[in-house]
Protein backbone atom coordinates (compact mmCIF):
# COMPACT_ATOMS: atom_id res chain seq x y z
CA UNK A 1 0.00 0.00 0.00
CA UNK A 2 1.51 3.35 -1.01
CA UNK A 3 1.77 6.24 1.47
CA UNK A 4 -1.31 8.03 0.16
CA UNK A 5 -3.43 4.90 0.45
CA UNK A 6 -2.14 4.30 3.99
CA UNK A 7 -3.27 7.75 5.11
CA UNK A 8 -6.72 7.44 3.55
CA UNK A 9 -7.11 3.90 4.93
CA UNK A 10 -6.42 5.15 8.46
CA UNK A 11 -9.03 7.88 8.12
CA UNK A 12 -11.53 5.38 6.75
CA UNK A 13 -10.96 3.00 9.68
CA UNK A 14 -11.32 5.88 12.14
CA UNK A 15 -14.52 7.01 10.44
CA UNK A 16 -16.08 3.56 10.74
CA UNK A 17 -15.00 3.31 14.38
CA UNK A 18 -16.31 6.72 15.45
CA UNK A 19 -19.49 6.23 13.45
CA UNK A 20 -20.27 3.23 15.63
CA UNK A 21 -19.00 4.69 18.90
CA UNK A 22 -20.45 8.21 18.66
CA UNK A 23 -23.18 8.21 15.98
CA UNK A 24 -24.87 4.82 16.45
CA UNK A 25 -23.62 3.73 13.02
CA UNK A 26 -26.08 6.07 11.29
CA UNK A 27 -23.71 8.04 9.07
CA UNK A 28 -23.46 7.33 5.34
CA UNK A 29 -20.20 6.55 3.56
CA UNK A 30 -18.02 9.54 2.61
CA UNK A 31 -15.13 10.15 0.23
CA UNK A 32 -11.84 11.15 1.91
CA UNK A 33 -9.29 13.55 0.46
CA UNK A 34 -6.14 15.26 1.73
CA UNK A 35 -6.19 19.00 1.00
CA UNK A 36 -3.85 21.85 2.06
CA UNK A 37 -6.44 24.60 2.44
CA UNK A 38 -4.81 27.51 4.28
CA UNK A 39 -5.59 27.81 8.01
CA UNK A 40 -8.02 24.92 7.88
CA UNK A 41 -7.61 21.59 9.70
CA UNK A 42 -10.38 19.95 7.68
CA UNK A 43 -13.71 20.57 6.00
CA UNK A 44 -16.95 18.87 4.96
CA UNK A 45 -18.36 19.22 1.45
CA UNK A 46 -21.77 17.62 0.63
CA UNK A 47 -22.50 16.03 -2.76
CA UNK A 48 -18.88 16.49 -3.84
CA UNK A 49 -18.34 13.20 -5.70
CA UNK A 50 -20.45 11.48 -8.35
CA UNK A 51 -20.18 7.84 -9.39
CA UNK A 52 -18.78 7.37 -12.90
CA UNK A 53 -21.70 5.74 -14.68
CA UNK A 54 -21.62 7.50 -18.04
CA UNK A 55 -24.68 6.97 -20.18
CA UNK A 56 -26.94 6.03 -17.27
CA UNK A 57 -29.44 7.98 -15.22
CA UNK A 58 -27.79 6.98 -11.94
CA UNK A 59 -26.69 10.17 -10.19
CA UNK A 60 -25.21 8.57 -7.07
CA UNK A 61 -23.51 11.31 -5.04
CA UNK A 62 -21.16 11.01 -2.08
CA UNK A 63 -20.14 13.69 0.42
CA UNK A 64 -16.48 14.55 1.09
CA UNK A 65 -14.45 14.97 4.24
CA UNK A 66 -11.09 16.61 3.58
CA UNK A 67 -8.23 16.61 6.08
CA UNK A 68 -5.22 18.93 5.95
CA UNK A 69 -1.94 16.96 6.35
CA UNK A 70 0.04 20.18 6.75
CA UNK A 71 -1.05 20.25 10.40
CA UNK A 72 -0.56 16.55 11.21
CA UNK A 73 3.01 16.92 12.49
CA UNK A 74 2.17 19.72 14.93
CA UNK A 75 -0.90 17.99 16.38
CA UNK A 76 -1.40 14.89 18.49
CA UNK A 77 -3.20 11.89 17.02
CA UNK A 78 -6.14 12.73 19.30
CA UNK A 79 -6.31 16.30 17.98
CA UNK A 80 -6.21 15.12 14.35
CA UNK A 81 -8.98 12.61 14.94
CA UNK A 82 -11.05 15.23 16.76
CA UNK A 83 -11.01 17.25 13.52
CA UNK A 84 -12.32 14.19 11.69
CA UNK A 85 -15.18 13.85 14.20
CA UNK A 86 -15.86 17.61 13.99
CA UNK A 87 -16.50 17.14 10.25
CA UNK A 88 -18.56 14.02 10.95
CA UNK A 89 -20.89 16.19 13.03
CA UNK A 90 -21.46 18.35 9.93
CA UNK A 91 -22.21 15.15 8.02
CA UNK A 92 -24.65 14.05 10.74
CA UNK A 93 -26.39 17.42 10.71
CA UNK A 94 -26.96 17.34 6.96
CA UNK A 95 -29.03 14.15 7.20
CA UNK A 96 -30.46 14.34 10.72
CA UNK A 97 -30.69 18.05 11.46
CA UNK A 98 -30.80 21.50 9.89
CA UNK A 99 -27.41 22.98 8.90
CA UNK A 100 -26.86 26.72 9.15
CA UNK A 101 -26.58 28.86 6.06
CA UNK A 102 -23.27 28.65 4.22
CA UNK A 103 -20.45 27.81 6.61
CA UNK A 104 -22.31 28.91 9.73
CA UNK A 105 -22.00 26.55 12.70
CA UNK A 106 -25.36 26.90 14.42
CA UNK A 107 -26.69 26.00 17.88
CA UNK A 108 -27.85 22.54 16.78
CA UNK A 109 -24.32 21.74 15.55
CA UNK A 110 -22.85 23.06 18.81
CA UNK A 111 -25.16 20.93 20.93
CA UNK A 112 -24.30 17.79 18.96
CA UNK A 113 -20.59 18.52 19.40
CA UNK A 114 -21.06 18.94 23.13
CA UNK A 115 -23.07 15.70 23.36
CA UNK A 116 -20.05 13.71 22.14
CA UNK A 117 -17.43 15.49 24.23
CA UNK A 118 -16.09 18.11 21.82
CA UNK A 119 -16.78 21.62 23.07
CA UNK A 120 -17.22 24.19 20.25
CA UNK A 121 -15.11 27.32 20.45
CA UNK A 122 -14.15 29.88 17.81
CA UNK A 123 -10.69 30.12 19.42
CA UNK A 124 -10.22 26.40 20.04
CA UNK A 125 -9.92 27.27 23.74
CA UNK A 126 -12.34 27.44 26.70
CA UNK A 127 -14.25 30.71 26.75
CA UNK A 128 -14.64 31.05 22.97
CA UNK A 129 -17.91 31.55 21.10
CA UNK A 130 -19.98 28.37 20.59
CA UNK A 131 -21.30 29.29 17.13
CA UNK A 132 -20.06 31.16 14.08
CA UNK A 133 -18.69 30.88 10.56
CA UNK A 134 -15.18 29.74 11.47
CA UNK A 135 -15.23 27.34 14.39
CA UNK A 136 -12.84 25.04 16.19
CA UNK A 137 -13.29 23.02 19.38
CA UNK A 138 -11.47 21.52 22.34
CA UNK A 139 -11.60 18.01 23.73
CA UNK A 140 -13.35 17.50 27.09
CA UNK A 141 -11.35 14.95 29.12
CA UNK A 142 -13.26 11.84 30.19
CA UNK A 143 -16.17 12.46 27.84
CA UNK A 144 -17.36 10.39 24.87
CA UNK A 145 -14.80 11.39 22.25
CA UNK A 146 -11.87 11.26 24.66
CA UNK A 147 -12.80 7.73 25.76
CA UNK A 148 -13.53 6.46 22.24
CA UNK A 149 -10.35 7.96 20.82
CA UNK A 150 -8.31 6.32 23.56
CA UNK A 151 -9.78 2.97 22.60
CA UNK A 152 -8.97 3.53 18.92
CA UNK A 153 -5.38 4.56 19.59
CA UNK A 154 -4.86 1.67 22.01
CA UNK A 155 -5.85 -0.68 19.19
CA UNK A 156 -2.58 0.33 17.52
CA UNK A 157 -3.93 2.93 15.09
CA UNK A 158 -1.92 6.08 14.38
CA UNK A 159 -1.31 8.66 11.66
CA UNK A 160 1.10 6.95 9.23
CA UNK A 161 2.65 9.99 7.48
CA UNK A 162 3.38 13.64 8.34
CA UNK A 163 3.94 16.64 6.06
CA UNK A 164 7.57 17.70 6.58
CA UNK A 165 6.84 21.40 6.00
CA UNK A 166 3.99 22.54 8.24
CA UNK A 167 2.85 26.19 7.94
CA UNK A 168 4.27 28.70 10.40
CA UNK A 169 1.00 28.97 12.35
CA UNK A 170 1.08 25.19 12.95
CA UNK A 171 4.15 25.41 15.22
CA UNK A 172 3.03 24.38 18.69
CA UNK A 173 3.12 26.91 21.51
CA UNK A 174 5.35 26.39 24.53
CA UNK A 175 3.71 24.47 27.36
CA UNK A 176 4.06 27.60 29.55
CA UNK A 177 1.51 29.30 27.26
CA UNK A 178 -1.12 26.79 28.41
CA UNK A 179 -3.02 26.36 31.63
CA UNK A 180 -5.02 23.48 33.08
CA UNK A 181 -8.37 24.17 34.73
CA UNK A 182 -9.61 21.57 37.25
CA UNK A 183 -12.74 21.11 39.34
CA UNK A 184 -11.83 21.51 43.03
CA UNK A 185 -14.44 18.93 44.14
CA UNK A 186 -12.81 15.76 45.49
CA UNK A 187 -13.28 12.85 43.07
CA UNK A 188 -14.24 15.03 40.06
CA UNK A 189 -12.00 14.34 37.05
CA UNK A 190 -13.08 17.36 34.99
CA UNK A 191 -10.13 19.12 33.35
CA UNK A 192 -9.91 21.54 30.44
CA UNK A 193 -6.92 23.27 28.86
CA UNK A 194 -6.63 26.80 27.54
CA UNK A 195 -4.87 30.13 27.78
CA UNK A 196 -3.91 31.39 31.25
CA UNK A 197 -6.30 33.78 32.92
CA UNK A 198 -9.66 32.57 31.59
CA UNK A 199 -12.44 33.52 33.97
CA UNK A 200 -15.75 31.89 34.96
CA UNK A 201 -15.11 28.31 33.78
CA UNK A 202 -17.37 26.07 35.81
CA UNK A 203 -18.21 22.45 36.53
CA UNK A 204 -21.91 22.02 35.75
CA UNK A 205 -22.11 18.85 37.86
CA UNK A 206 -20.79 20.30 41.12
CA UNK A 207 -21.65 23.98 40.45
CA UNK A 208 -18.11 25.14 41.19
CA UNK A 209 -15.59 27.34 39.36
CA UNK A 210 -12.57 25.57 37.93
CA UNK A 211 -9.17 26.33 39.43
CA UNK A 212 -6.32 27.32 37.15
CA UNK A 213 -2.99 25.50 37.18
CA UNK A 214 -0.20 26.61 34.85
CA UNK A 215 1.13 23.79 32.65
Amino acid sequence: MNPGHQSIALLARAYIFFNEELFEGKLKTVHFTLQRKARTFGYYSPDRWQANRRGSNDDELVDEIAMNPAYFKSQSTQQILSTLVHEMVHHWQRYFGKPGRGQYHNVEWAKKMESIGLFPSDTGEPGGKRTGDRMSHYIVPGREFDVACGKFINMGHDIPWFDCHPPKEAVQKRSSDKATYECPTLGCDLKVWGKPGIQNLGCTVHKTLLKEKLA
Side-chain angles (χ1 to χ4, degrees):
M1 187 180 293
N2 68 39
H5 289 168
Q6 291 178 28
S7 297
I8 296 297
L10 184 280
L11 293 174
R13 285 195 295 269
Y15 179 89
I16 292 170
F17 179 83
F18 289 119
N19 188 18
E20 293 295 330
E21 292 285 320
L22 303 176
F23 299 91
E24 300 178 333
K26 294 181 177 180
L27 301 187
K28 299 171 62 176
T29 298
V30 297
H31 192 294
F32 285 103
T33 61
L34 299 176
Q35 302 278 357
R36 289 184 178 84
K37 187 175 181 179
R39 299 184 181 277
T40 301
F41 295 156
Y43 62 81
Y44 171 69
S45 183
D47 291 341
R48 191 72 180 188
W49 294 82
Q50 180 178 1
N52 181 5
R53 298 191 178 96
R54 301 183 191 278
S56 75
N57 293 323
D58 187 349
D59 294 328
E60 180 185 358
L61 300 174
V62 174
D63 305 336
E64 175 185 270
I65 289 180
M67 298 287 287
N68 191 343
Y71 293 92
F72 284 3
K73 191 172 184 178
S74 63
Q75 293 184 315
S76 68
T77 300
Q78 187 186 47
Q79 289 172 324
I80 296 168
L81 294 176
S82 76
T83 295
L84 169 63
V85 173
H86 175 131
E87 305 310 329
M88 290 173 71
V89 173
H90 286 299
H91 188 43
W92 168 88
Q93 189 177 34
R94 187 193 178 202
Y95 293 99
F96 301 100
K98 294 182 179 180
R101 52 103 182 109
Q103 295 182 333
Y104 189 76
H105 300 66
N106 62 19
V107 172
E108 180 186 65
W109 172 86
K111 288 182 177 179
K112 183 63 175 178
M113 288 281 285
E114 292 168 4
S115 75
I116 59 173
L118 295 178
F119 206 93
S121 168
D122 65 337
T123 64
E125 306 282 357
K129 295 180 181 179
R130 294 173 65 242
T131 61
D133 287 305
R134 295 185 63 84
M135 292 297 298
S136 185
H137 61 266
Y138 57 90
I139 300 164
V140 183
R143 288 287 305 280
E144 292 83 353
F145 171 79
D146 186 38
V147 173
C149 191
K151 289 169 60 177
F152 185 74
I153 293 172
N154 288 337
M155 291 164 62
H157 299 304
D158 204 350
I159 305 301
W161 295 89
F162 296 139
D163 187 326
C164 292
H165 305 287
K168 291 181 180 180
E169 70 271 13
V171 177
Q172 289 182 310
K173 296 180 180 180
R174 302 188 309 273
S175 61
S176 58
D177 293 332
K178 295 282 187 180
T180 302
Y181 297 84
E182 301 178 348
C183 177
T185 304
L186 184 64
C188 183
D189 295 326
L190 176 62
K191 293 182 182 180
V192 296
W193 291 267
K195 297 177 182 178
I198 298 175
Q199 302 294 318
N200 299 324
L201 288 179
C203 175
T204 58
V205 175
H206 297 104
K207 311 299 182 183
T208 57
L209 290 177
L210 304 189
K211 290 188 175 181
E212 177 181 348
K213 292 185 177 181
L214 293 179

PDB file of all heavy atoms in Angstrom, residues 105-133:
ATOM      1  N   HIS A 105     -21.848  27.622  11.720  1.00  0.00           N
ATOM      2  CA  HIS A 105     -21.996  26.547  12.696  1.00  0.00           C
ATOM      3  C   HIS A 105     -23.059  26.992  13.700  1.00  0.00           C
ATOM      4  O   HIS A 105     -22.796  27.863  14.538  1.00  0.00           O
ATOM      5  CB  HIS A 105     -20.677  26.293  13.420  1.00  0.00           C
ATOM      6  CG  HIS A 105     -19.544  25.887  12.524  1.00  0.00           C
ATOM      7  ND1 HIS A 105     -19.001  26.742  11.584  1.00  0.00           N
ATOM      8  CD2 HIS A 105     -18.845  24.720  12.435  1.00  0.00           C
ATOM      9  CE1 HIS A 105     -18.001  26.128  10.962  1.00  0.00           C
ATOM     10  NE2 HIS A 105     -17.891  24.904  11.461  1.00  0.00           N
ATOM     11  N   ASN A 106     -24.247  26.414  13.622  1.00  0.00           N
ATOM     12  CA  ASN A 106     -25.364  26.902  14.420  1.00  0.00           C
ATOM     13  C   ASN A 106     -25.472  26.200  15.775  1.00  0.00           C
ATOM     14  O   ASN A 106     -24.644  25.359  16.139  1.00  0.00           O
ATOM     15  CB  ASN A 106     -26.672  26.815  13.626  1.00  0.00           C
ATOM     16  CG  ASN A 106     -27.028  25.378  13.237  1.00  0.00           C
ATOM     17  OD1 ASN A 106     -26.524  24.418  13.819  1.00  0.00           O
ATOM     18  ND2 ASN A 106     -27.902  25.240  12.251  1.00  0.00           N
ATOM     19  N   VAL A 107     -26.519  26.536  16.530  1.00  0.00           N
ATOM     20  CA  VAL A 107     -26.691  26.000  17.876  1.00  0.00           C
ATOM     21  C   VAL A 107     -26.892  24.488  17.851  1.00  0.00           C
ATOM     22  O   VAL A 107     -26.372  23.769  18.720  1.00  0.00           O
ATOM     23  CB  VAL A 107     -27.881  26.690  18.579  1.00  0.00           C
ATOM     24  CG1 VAL A 107     -28.198  26.004  19.898  1.00  0.00           C
ATOM     25  CG2 VAL A 107     -27.577  28.165  18.822  1.00  0.00           C
ATOM     26  N   GLU A 108     -27.639  23.983  16.875  1.00  0.00           N
ATOM     27  CA  GLU A 108     -27.850  22.538  16.781  1.00  0.00           C
ATOM     28  C   GLU A 108     -26.530  21.810  16.609  1.00  0.00           C
ATOM     29  O   GLU A 108     -26.271  20.788  17.259  1.00  0.00           O
ATOM     30  CB  GLU A 108     -28.771  22.218  15.605  1.00  0.00           C
ATOM     31  CG  GLU A 108     -29.037  20.716  15.440  1.00  0.00           C
ATOM     32  CD  GLU A 108     -29.833  20.421  14.185  1.00  0.00           C
ATOM     33  OE1 GLU A 108     -29.305  20.662  13.066  1.00  0.00           O
ATOM     34  OE2 GLU A 108     -30.969  19.947  14.306  1.00  0.00           O
ATOM     35  N   TRP A 109     -25.659  22.327  15.748  1.00  0.00           N
ATOM     36  CA  TRP A 109     -24.322  21.738  15.549  1.00  0.00           C
ATOM     37  C   TRP A 109     -23.536  21.773  16.863  1.00  0.00           C
ATOM     38  O   TRP A 109     -22.902  20.787  17.241  1.00  0.00           O
ATOM     39  CB  TRP A 109     -23.582  22.490  14.454  1.00  0.00           C
ATOM     40  CG  TRP A 109     -22.147  22.091  14.314  1.00  0.00           C
ATOM     41  CD1 TRP A 109     -21.643  21.057  13.580  1.00  0.00           C
ATOM     42  CD2 TRP A 109     -21.021  22.706  14.958  1.00  0.00           C
ATOM     43  NE1 TRP A 109     -20.273  20.996  13.730  1.00  0.00           N
ATOM     44  CE2 TRP A 109     -19.878  21.989  14.570  1.00  0.00           C
ATOM     45  CE3 TRP A 109     -20.885  23.785  15.823  1.00  0.00           C
ATOM     46  CZ2 TRP A 109     -18.610  22.328  15.004  1.00  0.00           C
ATOM     47  CZ3 TRP A 109     -19.612  24.124  16.264  1.00  0.00           C
ATOM     48  CH2 TRP A 109     -18.488  23.401  15.859  1.00  0.00           C
ATOM     49  N   ALA A 110     -23.587  22.922  17.551  1.00  0.00           N
ATOM     50  CA  ALA A 110     -22.845  23.063  18.807  1.00  0.00           C
ATOM     51  C   ALA A 110     -23.317  22.061  19.851  1.00  0.00           C
ATOM     52  O   ALA A 110     -22.507  21.438  20.553  1.00  0.00           O
ATOM     53  CB  ALA A 110     -22.991  24.490  19.337  1.00  0.00           C
ATOM     54  N   LYS A 111     -24.627  21.881  19.953  1.00  0.00           N
ATOM     55  CA  LYS A 111     -25.163  20.930  20.933  1.00  0.00           C
ATOM     56  C   LYS A 111     -24.752  19.499  20.612  1.00  0.00           C
ATOM     57  O   LYS A 111     -24.458  18.712  21.520  1.00  0.00           O
ATOM     58  CB  LYS A 111     -26.686  21.049  20.983  1.00  0.00           C
ATOM     59  CG  LYS A 111     -27.188  22.311  21.652  1.00  0.00           C
ATOM     60  CD  LYS A 111     -28.712  22.331  21.717  1.00  0.00           C
ATOM     61  CE  LYS A 111     -29.216  23.558  22.458  1.00  0.00           C
ATOM     62  NZ  LYS A 111     -30.709  23.590  22.505  1.00  0.00           N
ATOM     63  N   LYS A 112     -24.727  19.145  19.335  1.00  0.00           N
ATOM     64  CA  LYS A 112     -24.298  17.793  18.956  1.00  0.00           C
ATOM     65  C   LYS A 112     -22.825  17.592  19.296  1.00  0.00           C
ATOM     66  O   LYS A 112     -22.437  16.530  19.797  1.00  0.00           O
ATOM     67  CB  LYS A 112     -24.541  17.552  17.467  1.00  0.00           C
ATOM     68  CG  LYS A 112     -24.195  16.135  17.005  1.00  0.00           C
ATOM     69  CD  LYS A 112     -25.067  15.091  17.693  1.00  0.00           C
ATOM     70  CE  LYS A 112     -24.784  13.697  17.135  1.00  0.00           C
ATOM     71  NZ  LYS A 112     -25.601  12.666  17.828  1.00  0.00           N
ATOM     72  N   MET A 113     -22.004  18.598  19.032  1.00  0.00           N
ATOM     73  CA  MET A 113     -20.587  18.516  19.396  1.00  0.00           C
ATOM     74  C   MET A 113     -20.438  18.273  20.884  1.00  0.00           C
ATOM     75  O   MET A 113     -19.687  17.386  21.320  1.00  0.00           O
ATOM     76  CB  MET A 113     -19.881  19.814  19.000  1.00  0.00           C
ATOM     77  CG  MET A 113     -19.675  19.998  17.507  1.00  0.00           C
ATOM     78  SD  MET A 113     -18.284  19.044  16.851  1.00  0.00           S
ATOM     79  CE  MET A 113     -16.900  20.011  17.465  1.00  0.00           C
ATOM     80  N   GLU A 114     -21.160  19.064  21.685  1.00  0.00           N
ATOM     81  CA  GLU A 114     -21.057  18.937  23.134  1.00  0.00           C
ATOM     82  C   GLU A 114     -21.516  17.564  23.618  1.00  0.00           C
ATOM     83  O   GLU A 114     -20.959  17.015  24.574  1.00  0.00           O
ATOM     84  CB  GLU A 114     -21.885  20.036  23.795  1.00  0.00           C
ATOM     85  CG  GLU A 114     -21.325  21.426  23.575  1.00  0.00           C
ATOM     86  CD  GLU A 114     -22.294  22.520  23.973  1.00  0.00           C
ATOM     87  OE1 GLU A 114     -23.378  22.199  24.501  1.00  0.00           O
ATOM     88  OE2 GLU A 114     -21.971  23.704  23.756  1.00  0.00           O
ATOM     89  N   SER A 115     -22.520  16.990  22.933  1.00  0.00           N
ATOM     90  CA  SER A 115     -23.066  15.703  23.358  1.00  0.00           C
ATOM     91  C   SER A 115     -22.075  14.561  23.195  1.00  0.00           C
ATOM     92  O   SER A 115     -22.232  13.508  23.814  1.00  0.00           O
ATOM     93  CB  SER A 115     -24.349  15.389  22.581  1.00  0.00           C
ATOM     94  OG  SER A 115     -24.063  14.982  21.247  1.00  0.00           O
ATOM     95  N   ILE A 116     -21.052  14.762  22.342  1.00  0.00           N
ATOM     96  CA  ILE A 116     -20.052  13.706  22.142  1.00  0.00           C
ATOM     97  C   ILE A 116     -18.689  14.102  22.710  1.00  0.00           C
ATOM     98  O   ILE A 116     -17.676  13.474  22.408  1.00  0.00           O
ATOM     99  CB  ILE A 116     -19.928  13.311  20.661  1.00  0.00           C
ATOM    100  CG1 ILE A 116     -19.526  14.506  19.798  1.00  0.00           C
ATOM    101  CG2 ILE A 116     -21.230  12.703  20.156  1.00  0.00           C
ATOM    102  CD1 ILE A 116     -19.226  14.131  18.352  1.00  0.00           C
ATOM    103  N   GLY A 117     -18.659  15.162  23.525  1.00  0.00           N
ATOM    104  CA  GLY A 117     -17.431  15.494  24.234  1.00  0.00           C
ATOM    105  C   GLY A 117     -16.456  16.389  23.512  1.00  0.00           C
ATOM    106  O   GLY A 117     -15.290  16.470  23.898  1.00  0.00           O
ATOM    107  N   LEU A 118     -16.916  17.099  22.472  1.00  0.00           N
ATOM    108  CA  LEU A 118     -16.091  18.114  21.819  1.00  0.00           C
ATOM    109  C   LEU A 118     -16.781  19.462  22.029  1.00  0.00           C
ATOM    110  O   LEU A 118     -17.887  19.672  21.543  1.00  0.00           O
ATOM    111  CB  LEU A 118     -15.950  17.826  20.321  1.00  0.00           C
ATOM    112  CG  LEU A 118     -15.196  16.556  19.942  1.00  0.00           C
ATOM    113  CD1 LEU A 118     -15.187  16.380  18.428  1.00  0.00           C
ATOM    114  CD2 LEU A 118     -13.763  16.585  20.480  1.00  0.00           C
ATOM    115  N   PHE A 119     -16.126  20.358  22.750  1.00  0.00           N
ATOM    116  CA  PHE A 119     -16.780  21.623  23.075  1.00  0.00           C
ATOM    117  C   PHE A 119     -16.448  22.655  22.005  1.00  0.00           C
ATOM    118  O   PHE A 119     -15.277  22.964  21.777  1.00  0.00           O
ATOM    119  CB  PHE A 119     -16.368  22.130  24.440  1.00  0.00           C
ATOM    120  CG  PHE A 119     -17.405  23.005  25.068  1.00  0.00           C
ATOM    121  CD1 PHE A 119     -18.356  22.467  25.919  1.00  0.00           C
ATOM    122  CD2 PHE A 119     -17.459  24.359  24.769  1.00  0.00           C
ATOM    123  CE1 PHE A 119     -19.337  23.274  26.486  1.00  0.00           C
ATOM    124  CE2 PHE A 119     -18.434  25.159  25.325  1.00  0.00           C
ATOM    125  CZ  PHE A 119     -19.384  24.620  26.181  1.00  0.00           C
ATOM    126  N   PRO A 120     -17.465  23.213  21.319  1.00  0.00           N
ATOM    127  CA  PRO A 120     -17.216  24.187  20.246  1.00  0.00           C
ATOM    128  C   PRO A 120     -16.657  25.490  20.782  1.00  0.00           C
ATOM    129  O   PRO A 120     -17.062  25.973  21.847  1.00  0.00           O
ATOM    130  CB  PRO A 120     -18.603  24.386  19.624  1.00  0.00           C
ATOM    131  CG  PRO A 120     -19.562  24.030  20.694  1.00  0.00           C
ATOM    132  CD  PRO A 120     -18.903  22.948  21.501  1.00  0.00           C
ATOM    133  N   SER A 121     -15.717  26.062  20.054  1.00  0.00           N
ATOM    134  CA  SER A 121     -15.106  27.322  20.449  1.00  0.00           C
ATOM    135  C   SER A 121     -14.465  27.951  19.219  1.00  0.00           C
ATOM    136  O   SER A 121     -13.727  27.291  18.489  1.00  0.00           O
ATOM    137  CB  SER A 121     -14.038  27.089  21.521  1.00  0.00           C
ATOM    138  OG  SER A 121     -13.245  28.246  21.720  1.00  0.00           O
ATOM    139  N   ASP A 122     -14.731  29.235  18.989  1.00  0.00           N
ATOM    140  CA  ASP A 122     -14.150  29.877  17.813  1.00  0.00           C
ATOM    141  C   ASP A 122     -12.648  30.093  17.961  1.00  0.00           C
ATOM    142  O   ASP A 122     -11.941  30.326  16.980  1.00  0.00           O
ATOM    143  CB  ASP A 122     -14.852  31.201  17.496  1.00  0.00           C
ATOM    144  CG  ASP A 122     -14.654  32.261  18.577  1.00  0.00           C
ATOM    145  OD1 ASP A 122     -14.363  31.892  19.733  1.00  0.00           O
ATOM    146  OD2 ASP A 122     -14.790  33.456  18.258  1.00  0.00           O
ATOM    147  N   THR A 123     -12.131  29.981  19.186  1.00  0.00           N
ATOM    148  CA  THR A 123     -10.695  30.119  19.416  1.00  0.00           C
ATOM    149  C   THR A 123     -10.004  28.765  19.592  1.00  0.00           C
ATOM    150  O   THR A 123      -8.773  28.707  19.623  1.00  0.00           O
ATOM    151  CB  THR A 123     -10.440  30.954  20.683  1.00  0.00           C
ATOM    152  OG1 THR A 123     -10.964  30.257  21.823  1.00  0.00           O
ATOM    153  CG2 THR A 123     -11.094  32.322  20.575  1.00  0.00           C
ATOM    154  N   GLY A 124     -10.791  27.701  19.734  1.00  0.00           N
ATOM    155  CA  GLY A 124     -10.216  26.403  20.044  1.00  0.00           C
ATOM    156  C   GLY A 124      -9.857  26.262  21.511  1.00  0.00           C
ATOM    157  O   GLY A 124      -9.224  25.280  21.907  1.00  0.00           O
ATOM    158  N   GLU A 125     -10.251  27.238  22.324  1.00  0.00           N
ATOM    159  CA  GLU A 125      -9.924  27.265  23.745  1.00  0.00           C
ATOM    160  C   GLU A 125     -11.206  27.494  24.557  1.00  0.00           C
ATOM    161  O   GLU A 125     -12.192  28.019  24.039  1.00  0.00           O
ATOM    162  CB  GLU A 125      -8.941  28.398  24.054  1.00  0.00           C
ATOM    163  CG  GLU A 125      -7.676  28.403  23.216  1.00  0.00           C
ATOM    164  CD  GLU A 125      -6.660  27.382  23.681  1.00  0.00           C
ATOM    165  OE1 GLU A 125      -6.937  26.705  24.694  1.00  0.00           O
ATOM    166  OE2 GLU A 125      -5.600  27.271  23.047  1.00  0.00           O
ATOM    167  N   PRO A 126     -11.197  27.120  25.839  1.00  0.00           N
ATOM    168  CA  PRO A 126     -12.340  27.445  26.702  1.00  0.00           C
ATOM    169  C   PRO A 126     -12.608  28.944  26.703  1.00  0.00           C
ATOM    170  O   PRO A 126     -11.679  29.757  26.673  1.00  0.00           O
ATOM    171  CB  PRO A 126     -11.892  26.961  28.083  1.00  0.00           C
ATOM    172  CG  PRO A 126     -10.905  25.871  27.788  1.00  0.00           C
ATOM    173  CD  PRO A 126     -10.178  26.309  26.550  1.00  0.00           C
ATOM    174  N   GLY A 127     -13.882  29.311  26.727  1.00  0.00           N
ATOM    175  CA  GLY A 127     -14.250  30.713  26.747  1.00  0.00           C
ATOM    176  C   GLY A 127     -14.561  31.309  25.391  1.00  0.00           C
ATOM    177  O   GLY A 127     -15.022  32.449  25.298  1.00  0.00           O
ATOM    178  N   GLY A 128     -14.342  30.546  24.304  1.00  0.00           N
ATOM    179  CA  GLY A 128     -14.637  31.051  22.972  1.00  0.00           C
ATOM    180  C   GLY A 128     -16.116  30.976  22.642  1.00  0.00           C
ATOM    181  O   GLY A 128     -16.902  30.361  23.362  1.00  0.00           O
ATOM    182  N   LYS A 129     -16.513  31.585  21.533  1.00  0.00           N
ATOM    183  CA  LYS A 129     -17.905  31.545  21.097  1.00  0.00           C
ATOM    184  C   LYS A 129     -18.275  30.137  20.645  1.00  0.00           C
ATOM    185  O   LYS A 129     -17.460  29.432  20.046  1.00  0.00           O
ATOM    186  CB  LYS A 129     -18.127  32.526  19.954  1.00  0.00           C
ATOM    187  CG  LYS A 129     -17.946  33.985  20.353  1.00  0.00           C
ATOM    188  CD  LYS A 129     -18.190  34.898  19.155  1.00  0.00           C
ATOM    189  CE  LYS A 129     -17.999  36.358  19.537  1.00  0.00           C
ATOM    190  NZ  LYS A 129     -18.202  37.267  18.376  1.00  0.00           N
ATOM    191  N   ARG A 130     -19.517  29.717  20.916  1.00  0.00           N
ATOM    192  CA  ARG A 130     -19.984  28.365  20.589  1.00  0.00           C
ATOM    193  C   ARG A 130     -20.458  28.232  19.141  1.00  0.00           C
ATOM    194  O   ARG A 130     -20.569  27.114  18.638  1.00  0.00           O
ATOM    195  CB  ARG A 130     -21.135  27.956  21.513  1.00  0.00           C
ATOM    196  CG  ARG A 130     -20.771  27.795  22.955  1.00  0.00           C
ATOM    197  CD  ARG A 130     -21.998  27.549  23.808  1.00  0.00           C
ATOM    198  NE  ARG A 130     -22.661  26.296  23.498  1.00  0.00           N
ATOM    199  CZ  ARG A 130     -23.903  26.196  23.043  1.00  0.00           C
ATOM    200  NH1 ARG A 130     -24.620  27.282  22.804  1.00  0.00           N
ATOM    201  NH2 ARG A 130     -24.438  25.013  22.818  1.00  0.00           N
ATOM    202  N   THR A 131     -20.790  29.317  18.504  1.00  0.00           N
ATOM    203  CA  THR A 131     -21.304  29.285  17.135  1.00  0.00           C
ATOM    204  C   THR A 131     -20.598  30.346  16.307  1.00  0.00           C
ATOM    205  O   THR A 131     -20.025  31.301  16.840  1.00  0.00           O
ATOM    206  CB  THR A 131     -22.820  29.536  17.101  1.00  0.00           C
ATOM    207  OG1 THR A 131     -23.091  30.838  17.647  1.00  0.00           O
ATOM    208  CG2 THR A 131     -23.573  28.485  17.913  1.00  0.00           C
ATOM    209  N   GLY A 132     -20.679  30.181  14.965  1.00  0.00           N
ATOM    210  CA  GLY A 132     -20.061  31.161  14.080  1.00  0.00           C
ATOM    211  C   GLY A 132     -19.670  30.542  12.760  1.00  0.00           C
ATOM    212  O   GLY A 132     -19.876  29.346  12.517  1.00  0.00           O
ATOM    213  N   ASP A 133     -19.074  31.359  11.889  1.00  0.00           N
ATOM    214  CA  ASP A 133     -18.692  30.878  10.562  1.00  0.00           C
ATOM    215  C   ASP A 133     -17.411  30.042  10.607  1.00  0.00           C
ATOM    216  O   ASP A 133     -17.310  29.024   9.933  1.00  0.00           O
ATOM    217  CB  ASP A 133     -18.509  32.063   9.604  1.00  0.00           C
ATOM    218  CG  ASP A 133     -19.834  32.674   9.198  1.00  0.00           C
ATOM    219  OD1 ASP A 133     -20.689  31.927   8.691  1.00  0.00           O
ATOM    220  OD2 ASP A 133     -20.024  33.885   9.385  1.00  0.00           O
TER     221      ASP A 133
END
